[in-house]
């Protein structure tokens, strides 16, 4: 039964398309989704029953949430990104945390809110990803 992995691949492509559409034009979002759908490693990854498919889906969802958060400086989107990264940690351990510095830097540099609120938002978002670490101890 590989239907869940195939659906995760479709959802990942949809999230890449939605993220690119928010950042660029709809015409730029189509090639972004197509590249995600046709990349050989992605095609292979979504064809087998392993946790990589869920990891990629959750990290792509976290990336979409960061894109939404940096548009208006909304902390709730950072909380959702932190939760997605926390669930990705449960799927594939420390590989999920590789994107944290990049996501935090993007928000800290580009969010249209005061610096104090940016730092607080990143702290809250990172705090939402740490319950996964506590669950293991």
């Amino acid at each position: 039964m590989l239907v869940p992995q195939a659906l995760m691949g479709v959802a990942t492509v949809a999230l890449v398309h939605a993220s690119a559409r928010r950042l660029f034009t709809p015409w730029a979002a189509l090639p972004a989704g197509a590249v995600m759908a046709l990349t050989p490693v992605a095609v292979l990854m979504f064809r087998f029953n392993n946790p990589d498919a869920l990891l990629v889906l959750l990290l792509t969802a976290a990336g979409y949430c960061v894109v939404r958060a940096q548009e208006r400086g909304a902390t709730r989107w950072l909380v959702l990104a932190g939760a997605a990264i926390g669930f990705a940690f449960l799927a594939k351990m420390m590989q999920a945390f590789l994107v944290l510095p990049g996501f935090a830097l993007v928000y800290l540099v580009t969010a249209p809110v005061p610096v104090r609120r940016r730092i607080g938002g990143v702290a809250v978002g990172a705090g939402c990803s740490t319950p996964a670490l506590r669950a293991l101890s």
Side-chain angles (χ1 to χ4, degrees), residues 106-124:
V106 163
Y107 184 77
L108 286 172
V109 171
T110 63
V113 293
V115 174
R116 181 173 270 177
R117 188 167 166 207
R118 290 182 212 171
I119 293 171
V122 168
V124 169

Side-chain angles (χ1 to χ4, degrees), residues 34-50:
V35 166
M36 180 64 203
L38 300 175
T39 301
V41 71
V43 171
L44 286 173
M45 179 179 44
F46 293 118
R47 287 184 61 195
F48 295 105
N49 188 12
N50 59 18

Side-chain angles (χ1 to χ4, degrees), residues 50-85:
N50 59 18
D52 291 333
L54 183 59
L55 175 76
V56 170
L57 173 63
L58 289 170
L59 291 182
T60 306
Y64 176 77
C65 291
V66 169
V67 166
R68 292 291 304 259
Q70 65 91 25
E71 286 177 346
R72 294 186 183 178
T75 305
R76 73 173 176 200
W77 284 104
L78 283 179
V79 169
L80 288 173
I85 291 172

Side-chain angles (χ1 to χ4, degrees), residues 1-2 4 6 14 25 31 36 43 57 63 73 87 90 97 101 119 134:
M1 249 352 244
L2 297 177
T25 64
M36 180 64 203
V43 171
L57 173 63
F87 284 123
L90 294 176
F97 289 149
I119 293 171
R134 286 191 212 132

